Amino acid sequence: MPKSTKYVAKIPNEQGFIDYTPEEDAVWSDLYAAQIDAVEAHMARPYLDGLKKLNMPQSKVPQCPDISEALTRETGWKVQPVPALIGFDKFYGMLADRTFPAASFIRSREDFDYIEEPDIFHEIFGHTPLLTDPRFAEFSNAIGKAGLKAEKKDFSWLIRLYWFTIEFGLTRENGELKALGSGLASSKTELPHAVLSNEPTLRAFDIEDILRTPYRIDIHQPIYFVIEDMDELFAAADRDLMVDIKAAQAKGLFALVYPTVEKKAS
Amino acid sequence: MPKSTKYVAKIPNEQGFIDYTPEEDAVWSDLYAAQIDAVEAHMARPYLDGLKKLNMPQSKVPQCPDISEALTRETGWKVQPVPALIGFDKFYGMLADRTFPAASFIRSREDFDYIEEPDIFHEIFGHTPLLTDPRFAEFSNAIGKAGLKAEKKDFSWLIRLYWFTIEFGLTRENGELKALGSGLASSKTELPHAVLSNEPTLRAFDIEDILRTPYRIDIHQPIYFVIEDMDELFAAADRDLMVDIKAAQAKGLFALVYPTVEKKAS
Ligand SMILES: [Fe+3]
Ligand SMILES: [Fe+3]
């Protein structure tokens, strides 16, 4: 069987709006309510400022055109629904075009606490606040542009730079560890794991180290990178990331630190 | 970010043929060569008979119309390329229509030994031989028809019946354990794990038990079900599977037996 999912992308109408059912709106509302206190306690300033600027609805699934209007005003970005699985070439191409590709379905209640595929709660609640910040907007765009120049075999290298910053980056505010990444903003269990548990290894933001660090999508990250100064992202956006990728490839991946199970070869 | 992959579905031309590059044909050829000896040693008769009937090319990626021609002759089935991720509703709908949905891309050489998403080697080499057998063809069709009647919340229950038979079923021939499932036929490491290692738990084919058994896609299965007599599949195809699903749901899932890692909630 091909990879299958019970989730199907929602197709927007000609104005870009999507019809969500009352139950889907209720799931959004409950996800928002379940997450907002931890987010206010542990997410970093750039995220929280963005969340305020977007002023998204709390009791129903936000619509991409509404979020896009605010994003465009702030940084020239927009957000656009895509199928539940997209190719890296499309992903990078859209970032290069300052368009954030968003899965459009929302998880069902039985997947309230865990869903493997990113859903619109992750995409909108998790991602769009940071895209109101010029440093994250520029950095995301730079990754997209690098992706346009990359070959297929480089895609899985470049994505690690996205993963350890936009998805799972940390920072510090007045000495206190705070979360930046969207994957933390939208995760009930990983947010406290990342900033409170003292379990993960914290490493300094370094592009080559990030490119060489393997990750798994289905477990709490055992390693996070700490971006002490957001202007490092501007600096990173000015680099030739393909040169960094070649350098990382020459040195090779770091050893895995996560628990391994007997993986199958299919 | 939405779920992303470096693999993009190949689009067939109007005659249903797909252009594979010489390198892609070479990957097929090497996968076939790497797997055929173990398959001949450990796969069951129905699979091996099917493989012979299909007479698929060994040195280039087979084309769906060619495979379909043989399948149609044997059991009225055909095989059709689909996107890399499809909804369960589409999956069941196609099975109900005696059409096997096949991912159309082939893995790259760096994923030679392990790829999370099923590729066309798994689909054609793994799946299509069994579809020449009327018992597997009928049983697959019955699962599709049940899926048409199922609600969304039942999809993940019904799929377990497919998983533990078509994908990972075992049988016995002259007292010797043999593999039936396509996920075993296409896996270099899981085939010997399943039939030779004595590590897995073997259970008797029982629809309710199967429906209640959780699985993970990314590890070698710790539990297999043994179909002693293929006619059990004909009998299963005559059942009202929705009644079985309701019964299984009432009793609930069995406890997990596989190693767990700290799963994230996203
Ligand atoms: Fe399969
Ligand atoms: Fe994301």
Side-chain angles (χ1 to χ4, degrees):
Chain A
M1 60 190 275
K3 195 158 178 63
S4 311
T5 174
K6 67 178 177 184
Y7 294 108
V8 178
K10 298 253 178 187
I11 308 299
N13 69 15
E14 277 180 29
Q15 287 72 46
F17 287 83
I18 291 174
D19 242 352
Y20 291 99
T21 66
E23 168 59 11
E24 289 172 327
D25 283 335
V27 169
W28 174 277
S29 180
D30 292 346
L31 284 167
Y32 192 104
Q35 196 64 2
I36 191 66
D37 288 350
V39 157
E40 285 178 349
H42 301 302
M43 291 300 293
R45 196 42 50 204
Y47 174 91
L48 293 173
D49 288 345
L51 191 61
K52 191 174 293 176
K53 281 181 201 151
L54 290 175
N55 192 27
M56 63 181 73
Q58 301 181 16
S59 59
K60 60 176 189 184
V61 185
Q63 294 288 344
C64 287
D66 296 335
I67 299 288
S68 292
E69 197 184 313
L71 282 183
T72 301
R73 192 173 60 227
E74 299 291 338
T75 56
W77 275 68
K78 58 183 184 293
V79 55
Q80 191 175 297
V82 293
L85 179 72
I86 64 171
F88 276 130
D89 51 352
K90 180 167 181 179
F91 176 70
Y92 293 126
M94 289 178 72
L95 294 187
D97 202 25
R98 293 192 171 78
T99 303
F100 185 75
S104 56
F105 67 89
I106 190 162
R107 69 192 76 181
S108 64
R109 212 164 274 280
E110 61 180 349
D111 297 327
F112 194 84
D113 287 326
Y114 175 68
I115 176 175
E116 197 205 311
E117 304 111 306
D119 72 346
I120 196 163
F121 180 71
H122 169 72
E123 307 288 37
I124 300 284
F125 185 83
H127 276 284
T128 60
L130 283 185
L131 287 171
T132 65
D133 183 303
R135 297 162 296 187
F136 287 88
E138 189 68 14
F139 180 66
S140 300
N141 186 237
I143 290 178
K145 287 184 195 157
L148 289 186
K149 285 185 283 180
E151 290 176 69
K152 208 169 171 178
K153 69 177 175 45
D154 303 321
F155 287 168
S156 58
W157 288 79
L158 181 57
I159 201 64
R160 287 194 276 272
L161 186 54
Y162 192 84
W163 183 264
F164 285 112
T165 56
I166 303 290
E167 294 284 354
F168 289 102
L170 299 182
T171 187
R172 253 182 275 265
E173 289 174 359
N174 305 319
E176 199 182 343
L177 207 55
K178 295 280 184 177
L180 279 168
S182 53
L184 299 170
S186 67
S187 171
K188 190 178 173 60
T189 56
E190 188 156 357
L191 180 50
H193 163 81
V195 298
L196 295 179
S197 76
N198 278 319
E199 285 170 25
T201 301
L202 304 184
R203 301 194 59 186
F205 177 78
D206 178 276
I207 290 176
E208 190 177 285
D209 284 353
I210 287 175
L211 292 172
R212 299 177 62 199
T213 304
Y215 67 85
R216 276 178 53 180
I217 66 165
D218 60 335
I219 58 172
H220 289 158
Q221 302 303 305
I223 295 177
Y224 297 96
F225 286 86
V226 183
I227 306 169
E228 303 281 353
D229 180 348
M230 300 305 132
D231 285 340
E232 293 184 84
L233 297 178
F234 270 139
D238 285 339
R239 295 170 70 96
D240 184 340
L241 294 173
M242 285 311 300
V243 170
D244 292 313
I245 288 175
K246 298 298 166 208
Q249 287 170 338
K251 293 186 183 175
L253 285 178
F254 290 125
L256 308 181
V257 299
Y258 38 77
T260 51
V261 288
E262 192 188 16
K263 294 290 273 188
K264 79 173 195 183
S266 70
Chain B
M1 59 189 277
K3 195 158 178 61
S4 312
T5 173
K6 67 177 177 184
Y7 293 108
V8 178
K10 298 252 177 187
I11 309 300
N13 68 15
E14 278 178 31
Q15 288 73 43
F17 287 83
I18 290 175
D19 241 353
Y20 292 98
T21 66
E23 168 59 10
E24 289 172 327
D25 283 336
V27 168
W28 173 278
S29 180
D30 292 347
L31 285 166
Y32 193 103
Q35 195 64 1
I36 191 65
D37 288 349
V39 157
E40 285 177 350
H42 302 302
M43 290 301 293
R45 195 42 53 203
Y47 174 91
L48 293 174
D49 288 346
L51 192 60
K52 192 174 293 178
K53 281 180 201 152
L54 291 175
N55 192 26
M56 63 181 72
Q58 301 182 16
S59 59
K60 60 176 187 184
V61 186
Q63 294 288 343
C64 287
D66 296 335
I67 300 289
S68 292
E69 196 183 314
L71 284 181
T72 301
R73 191 174 61 227
E74 300 291 338
T75 56
W77 274 68
K78 58 181 183 295
V79 55
Q80 190 174 297
V82 294
L85 179 73
I86 65 171
F88 276 130
D89 51 352
K90 179 166 180 180
F91 176 69
Y92 293 126
M94 289 177 71
L95 295 186
D97 202 26
R98 293 193 172 77
T99 304
F100 185 76
S104 56
F105 68 89
I106 190 163
R107 71 193 73 181
S108 63
R109 211 163 274 279
E110 62 181 346
D111 297 327
F112 194 83
D113 287 326
Y114 176 69
I115 175 174
E116 196 204 312
E117 305 111 306
D119 72 346
I120 196 164
F121 180 71
H122 169 72
E123 308 288 37
I124 300 284
F125 185 82
H127 277 282
T128 59
L130 283 185
L131 287 171
T132 65
D133 183 302
R135 299 162 296 188
F136 287 89
E138 190 69 15
F139 179 67
S140 300
N141 187 237
I143 291 178
K145 286 183 194 157
L148 288 185
K149 286 186 281 179
E151 290 176 69
K152 208 169 170 176
K153 67 177 175 45
D154 304 321
F155 287 169
S156 58
W157 289 79
L158 181 58
I159 201 64
R160 287 193 276 273
L161 186 54
Y162 192 85
W163 184 264
F164 285 112
T165 56
I166 303 290
E167 294 284 353
F168 289 102
L170 299 183
T171 187
R172 251 182 277 265
E173 289 174 359
N174 306 319
E176 199 182 340
L177 207 55
K178 294 281 184 177
L180 278 167
S182 53
L184 298 170
S186 67
S187 171
K188 190 178 174 58
T189 57
E190 188 156 357
L191 181 50
H193 163 81
V195 299
L196 295 179
S197 76
N198 279 319
E199 286 171 23
T201 301
L202 303 185
R203 301 196 58 188
F205 177 77
D206 178 277
I207 291 177
E208 189 177 285
D209 284 352
I210 287 175
L211 292 171
R212 297 177 63 199
T213 304
Y215 68 83
R216 275 178 54 179
I217 65 165
D218 60 334
I219 58 172
H220 289 158
Q221 303 302 306
I223 295 177
Y224 297 94
F225 287 85
V226 182
I227 307 169
E228 303 281 352
D229 179 349
M230 301 304 133
D231 285 340
E232 293 184 83
L233 297 178
F234 270 139
D238 284 338
R239 295 171 69 96
D240 183 342
L241 294 173
M242 284 311 301
V243 171
D244 292 314
I245 288 175
K246 298 299 167 209
Q249 287 170 339
K251 294 187 182 175
L253 285 179
F254 290 125
L256 308 181
V257 299
Y258 38 76
T260 51
V261 288
E262 191 188 15
K263 293 290 273 190
K264 77 173 195 177
S266 71

